[in-house]
Amino acid sequence: MDKEIQSLIRKETIRQNKGIELIASENYASKDVRHACESILTNKYAEGYPHKRYYGGCEFVDQVEELAIERVKELFGSKFANVQPHSGSQANAEAYRALLPNGGKILSLVLNDGGHLTHGSPVSFSSFMYDFVFYPLNKDGHLDYDGILKVAQIEKPNLILAGYSAYPYAIDFKKLREIADKVGALFMVDMAHIAGLIAGGVHMNPVPYAHVVTSTTHKTLRGPRGGIILTNDEEIAKRINSAVFPFYQGGPLEHIIAAKAICFNEALQPPFKKYVRSVVENTKACRDEFKRLGAIVSDTDNHLFLLNVLDSFGLTGLDAQKKLEAINITTNKNMIPGDKLKPNKTSGLRIGFAAITTRGCDAKDARAIAKLIFDYLSNKIDDKKAKEEVKRIVSSWKLIQDI
């Protein structure tokens, strides 16, 4: 054993177990998923696709990948799927390549309103390879479909992009597809954050409406870290496969693909539907308690909401994040619609309940967490009392290694 790495893994295990994890993009994978991630499948090179590999000895990894493909198609109702993307960012790059091989104009959400780096950030590959233009949220922080149509009619994009990293409301994919059709654009959805909610039936499924859907597998879907790409169009599916391999990637991570297959199977089972309903219920319970206490928060339809810490407590998002981390509550600073501060400071925190719901958090715990954070950021309780309350809340939850 590598004693240094072993020690650090042990410390991280302790950190995860003793804390309240509210980062909306994190979750806890099951034992079965983790077991597949550490399996001997990591030894196998398998460039290409099942039955069309560049290497021999792929009989069993072919079957693993085929299982993953069939299960994710069943889960989201798609005709075609690629399970090889190493991450959500790579899945997006590969989808752009499949849809716009020679570059083009992409219409996406204003990044500060909840977009992702790969949705046109100046520091991302996306803005170097494509011409991004943007639509904003309305003054209430919601998607303005009439406004999106007006921008699309002016900009005439080749592709309209939906799916966000900090948007707390339901998305009407049917309306967005209608907008795309009106301006002759393709329509793509990055459902990374809400994939689990879609799989569990508590959010509209974009697959029937989008030309291409990308996702990660490790957020609300509760699988290993990785990406997927879905489509119902056979010709686009062929272009996706070519964009993934050989254009952007070499050998697929078959141990991770096995873990994806397990997570898709878990998401097909009745307990997963109960889980995602609980995620939504817990998120709303926490948000409502914050509002009752007088904090400024967004509403929520999904697994996250935005807490305006600048106007509620006189703290930047960065300061609030650091302050909460000191008492074992993990969050992340986040821009809020119309934010006047820069991304390295922000006026808000993004609060999510996918991870701790996996551990056993219920609505009562969610309300207690809101009160704890409110009292602590308001300086009504000190570090010692706050840490004791965190310890009390997590004491009845599952240990990470037992999930």
Side-chain angles (χ1 to χ4, degrees):
M1 289 293 293
D2 186 319
K3 298 300 181 184
E4 291 173 289
I5 294 297
Q6 184 184 50
S7 174
L8 290 169
I9 291 174
R10 185 181 297 114
K11 288 176 180 178
E12 175 61 13
T13 302
I14 293 169
R15 186 198 69 81
Q16 290 188 22
N17 278 317
K18 74 179 182 180
I20 295 175
E21 179 56 74
L22 297 177
I23 294 176
S25 53
E26 294 194 8
N27 212 328
Y28 300 114
S30 69
K31 287 181 183 178
D32 287 345
V33 167
R34 300 197 309 270
H35 181 66
C37 288
E38 66 181 12
S39 72
I40 60 170
L41 294 175
T42 192
N43 299 334
K44 188 71 193 87
Y45 236 121
E47 283 185 347
Y49 291 101
H51 312 295
K52 296 179 181 179
R53 304 289 190 182
Y54 281 49
Y55 291 84
C58 293
E59 174 188 355
F60 302 114
V61 294
D62 279 355
Q63 293 177 55
V64 166
E65 191 163 332
E66 286 173 329
L67 265 178
I69 290 169
E70 291 306 312
R71 288 174 179 179
V72 76
K73 283 163 54 180
E74 180 183 356
L75 185 61
F76 292 107
S78 68
K79 293 180 181 178
F80 306 97
N82 191 305
V83 296
Q84 290 191 7
H86 300 328
S87 69
S89 292
Q90 283 185 263
N92 285 345
E94 291 148 359
Y96 296 155
R97 169 71 185 179
L99 295 172
L100 304 174
N102 300 311
K105 183 183 284 188
I106 301 176
L107 177 60
S108 183
L109 179 67
V110 170
L111 296 174
N112 289 352
D113 284 356
H116 185 261
L117 286 175
T118 58
H119 299 179
S121 168
V123 300
S124 163
F125 76 89
S126 54
S127 65
F128 285 85
M129 300 177 71
Y130 302 92
D131 176 18
F132 272 84
V133 290
F134 301 95
Y135 55 87
L137 299 176
N138 65 21
K139 60 182 177 61
D140 297 320
H142 289 75
L143 290 170
D144 177 359
Y145 297 98
D146 291 336
I148 294 170
L149 175 59
K150 289 177 183 177
V151 175
Q153 288 172 329
I154 293 169
E155 294 290 350
K156 296 180 173 56
N158 304 109
L159 175 68
I160 294 177
L161 178 61
Y164 318 105
S165 63
Y167 186 69
Y169 306 111
I171 305 166
D172 190 331
F173 299 116
K174 184 174 183 290
K175 282 186 179 180
L176 288 165
R177 174 59 186 264
E178 289 169 354
I179 293 169
D181 288 344
K182 285 179 181 178
V183 298
L186 294 165
F187 179 40
M188 173 178 155
V189 174
D190 175 354
M191 65 173 185
H193 260 276
I194 56 174
L197 305 184
I198 293 163
V202 298
H203 194 293
M204 177 186 278
N205 186 352
V207 171
Y209 306 104
H211 292 92
V212 169
V213 175
T214 63
S215 182
T216 54
T217 51
H218 53 273
K219 299 184 178 79
T220 51
L221 203 50
R222 209 161 59 176
R225 304 192 71 83
I228 53 172
I229 308 176
L230 310 173
T231 185
N232 286 328
D233 187 299
E234 185 174 6
E235 187 55 39
I236 290 176
K238 292 176 182 176
R239 301 205 300 266
I240 288 168
N241 287 349
S242 295
V244 175
F245 174 83
F247 192 85
Y248 272 110
Q249 296 183 191
L253 309 177
E254 292 295 342
H255 58 305
I256 301 301
I257 290 174
K260 290 176 185 178
I262 292 168
C263 108
F264 301 148
N265 186 54
E266 290 175 347
L268 284 163
Q269 307 309 314
F272 189 83
K273 290 180 171 59
K274 181 179 179 182
Y275 159 71
V276 292
R277 287 195 298 269
S278 296
V279 170
V280 173
E281 290 167 3
N282 291 342
T283 307
K284 186 168 178 54
C286 185
R287 179 266 175 194
D288 289 350
E289 182 66 7
F290 267 120
K291 187 176 182 181
R292 186 190 71 80
L293 292 166
I296 301 171
V297 289
S298 71
D299 203 346
T300 180
D301 298 322
N302 56 27
H303 64 299
L304 64 86
F305 63 87
L306 298 174
L307 171 62
N308 184 334
V309 291
L310 187 64
D311 292 337
S312 298
F313 309 107
L315 297 168
T316 68
L318 178 61
D319 290 337
Q321 175 186 309
K322 288 180 176 178
K323 189 173 173 67
L324 289 170
E325 193 165 6
I327 61 165
N328 303 320
I329 296 178
T330 313
T331 61
N332 64 278
K333 65 184 185 298
N334 209 95
M335 304 288 282
I336 60 175
D339 207 324
K340 300 290 193 299
L341 299 183
K342 294 182 178 180
N344 63 344
K345 293 286 186 182
T346 82
S347 299
L349 291 179
R350 183 181 65 169
I351 306 291
F353 272 80
I356 58 175
T357 301
T358 296
R359 290 191 66 187
C361 174
D362 59 19
K364 181 180 178 182
D365 293 333
R367 288 188 289 270
I369 289 167
K371 188 172 190 313
L372 167 59
I373 293 174
F374 185 89
D375 287 349
Y376 183 62
L377 295 184
S378 301
N379 296 315
K380 293 180 179 180
I381 58 174
D382 60 17
D383 286 25
K384 181 180 179 182
K385 187 168 183 180
K387 284 183 179 180
E388 290 173 352
E389 179 63 2
V390 169
K391 187 176 181 179
R392 183 195 68 78
I393 292 170
V394 305
S395 63
S396 63
W397 295 352
K398 299 174 187 174
L399 295 175
I400 309 301
Q401 56 269 39
D402 295 335
I403 289 170

